[in-house]
């Protein structure tokens, strides 16, 4: 703000060409910023999107303010300082500074001078006349009157400059925020003769800042919640899924025991733990239960439901229920739950005595059997998909496993990045030579993970390798 007391009349005025160039740059930047704001697709339910939009709005307001000040600069810097009794020249009609006004209150003559813009800021007409310093608090919010009084008193009595904000109320009840900058005007004897000020309506700027702060807080709260949910989901998943870092052997008493290993691959896109699971359980009768599947959704809800499903499957398998009936009971169990739903599942029982694998399936993909350096997908058993009918039954399929066979079970998230299901299956079957040379089940899992990767995944997935011993 130009000062009556300290401004140097000999100081060089800004070159017109320089100001014009700055105005042009500001307008171009504002246009670019406006394009960014228009092109942004904002989901009202996305805290990060709301924060980004609020940041764009605040940047726009700051650019508008910069353009306004440059417009005032171009409107004309007076060649001589105005006398203490003269108001600061206002901007041209229609200029960018329609919300910035000036005023002077003369303490010697009780005269008050307001610019036209100040009437607009206070919601008054020139016919009402300017307001004296004594009248000014009548339009200021009660909570801000003490603040205004302190600023005015400090200026008139102590000679301190004014730089502060207060809120005013228009006659129609509209509340506006005003930023006031002022200073005392001294007479030749050094006494305060008047108070001169520039006032700016910063309501929209402050609204944008509040929106930015609120959206930022909302975004930060959402991130904190998501991180907490992820941590809880990870802890719950680790407590539920067997932490198989190495191989796990089953059915030692049979002629063909199993060597089992599995791995969970998290999604890099969602950043949340999903409901994909794997499980292997030695049953009391010497058989082994093998299951893989996936639930819709992510986070604690999906992981909690996964724990419920695994507990139910284990309990039913220990009770002697076969693979097909396991799927039927699981279907009815999930029909009583609201969320999440089951995407796909495979339930299988392996008898080490006759080396027979009996399995039932809902959804896809089918198990892959590797034998003699080649692989193939097992034929799907006949039956209904989960949720197709409340009284649906699931047919079972059987296959005899030979010593050295490798059975690969996985959820469809493993190959979802492929162009189609068949191409993903072909990639897995193409690993047959490498899998044939694997030392154990864990080495097989490691080969699959290296091929399909753990980074940049759209979906989470599980893979389980089951190798028949000699």
């Amino acid at each position: 703000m130009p000062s009556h007391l300290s401004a140097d009349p000999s100081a060089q005025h800004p070159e017109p060409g320089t100001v014009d160039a700055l105005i042009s740059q500001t307008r171009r930047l504002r246009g670019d910023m406006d394009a960014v704001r228009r092109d942004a697709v904002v989901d009202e339910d996305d805290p990060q999107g709301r924060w980004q939009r609020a940041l764009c709005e605040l940047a726009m307001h700051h650019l508008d303010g910069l353009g306004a000040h440059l417009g005032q600069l171009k409107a004309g810097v007076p060649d001589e300082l105005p006398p203490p009794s003269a108001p600061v020249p206002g901007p041209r009609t229609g200029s960018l500074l329609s919300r910035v006004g000036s005023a002077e209150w003369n303490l010697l003559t009780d005269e008050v001078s307001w610019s036209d813009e100040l009437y607009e800021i206070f919601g008054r007409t020139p016919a009402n006349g300017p307001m004296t310093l004594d009248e000014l608090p009548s339009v200021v919010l009660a909570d801000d009157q003490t603040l205004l009084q302190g600023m005015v008193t400090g200026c008139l009595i102590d000679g301190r400059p004014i730089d502060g904000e207060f809120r005013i109320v228009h006659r129609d009840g509209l509340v506006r925020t005003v930023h006031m900058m002022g200073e005392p005007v001294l007479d030749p004897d050094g006494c305060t003769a008047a108070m001169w000020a520039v006032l700016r309506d910063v309501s929209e700027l402050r609204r944008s800042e509040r929106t930015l702060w609120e959206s930022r807080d909302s975004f930060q709260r959402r991130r904190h919640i998501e991180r907490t949910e992820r941590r809880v989901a990870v802890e719950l998943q680790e407590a539920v899924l067997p932490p198989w870092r190495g191989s796990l052997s089953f059915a030692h008493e049979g002629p063909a025991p199993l060597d089992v290993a599995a791995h969970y691959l998290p999604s890099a896109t969602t950043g949340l733990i999903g409901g994909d699971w794997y499980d292997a359980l030695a049953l009391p009768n010497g058989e082994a239960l093998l299951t893989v599947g996936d639930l819709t959704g992510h986070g604690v809800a999906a992981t909690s439901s996964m724990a419920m499903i695994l507990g139910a499957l284990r309990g039913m398998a220990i009770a002697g229920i076969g693979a097909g009936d396991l799927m039927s009971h699981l279907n009815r169990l999930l029909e009583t739950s609201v969320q999440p739903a089951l995407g796909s599942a495979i339930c299988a029982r392996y008898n080490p005595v006759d080396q027979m694998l009996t399995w039932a399936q809902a959804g896809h993909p089918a198990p892959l059997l590797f034998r003699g350096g080649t692989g193939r997908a097992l034929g799907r058993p006949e039956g209904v998909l989960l949720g197709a009918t409340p009284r649906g039954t699931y047919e079972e399929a059987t296959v005899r496993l030979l010593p050295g066979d490798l059975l690969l079970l996985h959820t469809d998230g493993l190959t979802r990045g492929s162009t189609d299901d068949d191409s993903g299956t072909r990639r897995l079957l193409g690993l047959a030579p490498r899998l044939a040379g694997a030392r154990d089940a864990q080495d097989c899992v490691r080969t699959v993970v290296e091929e399909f990767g753990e980074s940049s995944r759209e979906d989470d997935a599980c893979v389980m390798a089951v190798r028949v011993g000699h």
Side-chain angles (χ1 to χ4, degrees):
M1 181 182 70
S3 170
H4 292 283
L5 303 179
S6 59
D8 182 2
S10 63
Q12 282 190 336
H13 299 156
E15 293 293 336
T18 304
V19 176
D20 287 338
L22 290 173
I23 291 175
S24 298
Q25 292 177 15
T26 303
R27 287 175 177 171
R28 285 196 300 270
L29 183 57
R30 192 192 187 285
D32 294 341
M33 192 71 237
D34 191 38
V36 171
R37 181 183 61 174
R38 290 196 312 268
D39 294 342
V41 178
V42 178
D43 182 359
E44 291 297 332
D45 296 329
D46 178 18
Q48 183 176 8
R50 292 198 301 270
W51 169 74
Q52 290 174 339
R53 182 178 61 182
L55 200 58
C56 287
E57 294 288 346
L58 183 60
M60 293 287 288
H61 282 298
H62 281 300
L63 288 172
D64 287 340
L66 176 61
H69 293 309
L70 292 173
Q72 186 184 41
L73 197 61
K74 184 181 178 180
V77 180
D79 293 332
E80 296 181 359
L81 290 175
S85 60
V88 176
R92 300 188 305 268
T93 302
S95 74
L96 295 174
L97 287 180
S98 59
R99 306 303 291 175
V100 179
S102 59
E104 182 175 308
W105 290 271
N106 192 307
L107 305 182
L108 302 180
T109 64
D110 291 331
E111 291 182 295
V112 182
S113 299
W114 274 20
S115 67
D116 293 339
E117 291 76 18
L118 200 55
Y119 286 101
E120 295 182 18
I121 292 174
F122 278 81
R124 296 169 63 87
T125 64
N128 300 131
M131 303 181 71
T132 65
L133 289 176
D134 292 334
E135 295 173 329
L136 197 59
S138 65
V139 298
V140 176
L141 282 182
D143 291 343
D144 295 350
Q145 290 179 3
T146 301
L147 173 64
L148 175 64
Q149 182 179 0
M151 290 192 299
V152 172
T153 301
C155 180
L156 299 179
I157 303 301
D158 301 326
R160 295 196 301 266
I162 292 176
D163 188 354
E165 294 182 7
F166 54 88
R167 292 164 295 173
I168 60 175
V169 184
H170 288 187
R171 293 179 179 178
D172 59 3
L174 181 66
V175 177
R176 309 297 294 178
T177 302
V178 176
H179 185 182
M180 183 177 184
M181 297 182 67
E183 57 187 24
V185 179
L186 306 181
D187 62 16
D189 297 327
C191 299
T192 302
M195 190 182 80
W196 176 85
V198 170
L199 296 95
R200 180 187 178 196
D201 186 340
V202 295
S203 304
E204 295 304 316
L205 179 61
R206 297 297 175 253
R207 180 195 62 79
S208 294
E209 290 175 341
R210 286 194 301 272
T211 301
L212 177 62
W213 295 331
E214 291 169 359
S215 61
R216 179 196 61 189
D217 291 342
S218 177
F219 174 48
Q220 290 176 341
R221 286 195 299 270
R222 173 65 67 86
R223 290 188 63 185
H224 175 71
I225 292 173
E226 289 177 349
R227 289 170 179 168
T228 302
E229 287 182 345
R230 176 175 173 79
R231 185 180 69 253
V232 172
V234 169
E235 293 173 353
L236 182 59
Q237 183 198 57
E238 291 176 348
V240 173
L241 293 183
W244 295 340
R245 304 304 179 192
S247 298
L248 191 64
S249 296
F250 286 93
H252 288 286
E253 298 178 359
L258 299 182
D259 178 24
V260 181
H263 189 74
Y264 173 81
L265 294 86
S267 166
T269 303
T270 64
L272 296 175
I273 297 298
D276 286 33
W277 83 82
Y278 57 82
D279 193 26
L281 177 67
L283 300 176
N285 63 356
E287 294 184 359
L289 171 70
L290 307 170
T291 68
V292 295
D294 65 277
L295 296 169
T296 60
H298 296 85
V300 176
T303 312
S304 299
S305 297
M306 178 187 67
M308 176 195 69
I309 289 174
L310 288 180
L313 287 174
R314 286 187 166 200
M316 290 187 289
I318 291 175
I321 297 176
D325 289 335
L326 277 177
M327 298 299 301
S328 298
H329 290 314
L330 183 60
N331 187 17
R332 284 190 284 271
L333 174 64
L334 289 172
E335 284 177 350
T336 63
S337 303
V338 179
Q339 286 292 339
L342 188 64
S344 63
I346 292 178
C347 292
R349 294 177 68 114
Y350 174 70
N351 187 329
V353 177
D354 57 16
Q355 303 174 44
M356 295 299 294
L357 180 79
T358 304
W359 60 286
Q361 176 188 25
H364 58 279
L368 303 181
L369 178 61
F370 295 85
R371 178 181 293 170
T374 62
R376 64 182 177 89
L378 298 181
R380 298 174 182 271
E382 299 295 332
V384 298
L385 297 180
L386 284 178
T389 170
R391 306 179 66 85
T393 58
Y394 292 84
E395 298 294 333
E396 296 178 347
T398 59
V399 62
R400 181 181 176 84
L401 300 182
L402 303 180
D405 282 353
L406 172 67
L407 190 69
L408 201 63
L409 307 176
H410 66 91
T411 57
D412 57 0
L414 181 68
T415 58
R416 193 164 288 161
S418 303
T419 56
D420 53 54
D421 295 335
D422 291 338
S423 66
T425 300
R426 286 193 297 270
R427 286 180 62 193
L428 279 170
L429 294 176
L431 297 176
R434 294 172 58 187
L435 295 175
R439 296 185 304 273
D440 51 24
Q442 181 64 23
D443 200 21
C444 293
V445 169
R446 187 179 299 109
T447 299
V448 174
V449 172
E450 289 175 355
E451 173 67 20
F452 287 86
E454 291 193 83
S455 60
S456 303
R457 300 189 55 80
E458 293 184 2
D459 299 287
D460 54 344
C462 286
V463 58
M464 182 163 65
V466 182
R467 196 170 186 180
V468 183
H470 294 278

